[in-house]
Amino acid sequence: QVQPVESGGGLVQAGDSLRLSCVAAGRTFSNYAMGWFRQAPGKERENVAAISWSGENSIVAESVKGRFTISRDNAKNTVYLQINNLQPADTAVYYCAAANTVGATTRSSSYIYWGQGTQVTVSS
């Protein structure tokens, strides 16, 4: 089992960049595909990026492709979400989660361990 813990959120201006980090405590981190989700007030939780256990394959949502990049460093038990050119619409709580799969997946039901989230707020 793993326990993801997110960090790196904050208050930024439109056009800025952020790198969110997720440390997943546990000896078997490399056995889990990982993903990033976000939930804005009044909206459903959505997957924005996912990455396979090896880091060789990844998925980025079409709505954020070109601005969001997911990566992982298994030696550090850490997954990252690089966000460039932040927009007010990106304001949300961002969650890191671990899936019981090898390959990257966008399905929420595949994720069995979730972090508490980190707030990202983007001003105009």
Side-chain angles (χ1 to χ4, degrees):
Q1 61 180 346
V2 296
Q3 177 57 63
V5 179
E6 305 94 336
S7 64
L11 175 63
V12 298
Q13 295 181 332
D16 287 352
S17 297
L18 278 176
R19 188 176 73 163
L20 307 184
S21 298
C22 172
V23 177
R27 295 187 294 109
T28 59
F29 172 77
S30 62
N31 291 335
Y32 296 89
M34 302 292 294
W36 285 97
F37 295 77
R38 69 182 182 185
Q39 187 165 25
K43 296 184 178 180
E44 296 182 353
R45 182 180 60 193
E46 63 173 337
N47 176 261
V48 294
I51 191 166
S52 64
W53 70 270
S54 66
E56 295 180 358
N57 301 104
S58 63
I59 301 170
V60 179
E62 186 67 27
S63 61
V64 298
K65 188 173 296 184
R67 297 192 300 115
F68 285 37
T69 303
I70 188 171
S71 61
R72 68 190 296 165
D73 186 342
N74 288 347
K76 298 180 179 179
N77 287 0
T78 303
V79 62
Y80 304 96
L81 184 67
Q82 177 70 38
I83 311 176
N84 296 329
N85 192 24
L86 280 153
Q87 302 297 309
D90 296 321
T91 296
V93 178
Y94 284 73
Y95 298 92
C96 176
N100 62 345
T101 64
V102 172
T105 179
T106 63
R107 298 180 61 189
S108 295
S109 61
S110 294
Y111 290 86
I112 56 176
Y113 302 112
W114 294 79
Q116 295 301 304
T118 185
Q119 177 72 48
V120 173
T121 302
V122 186
S123 63
S124 300

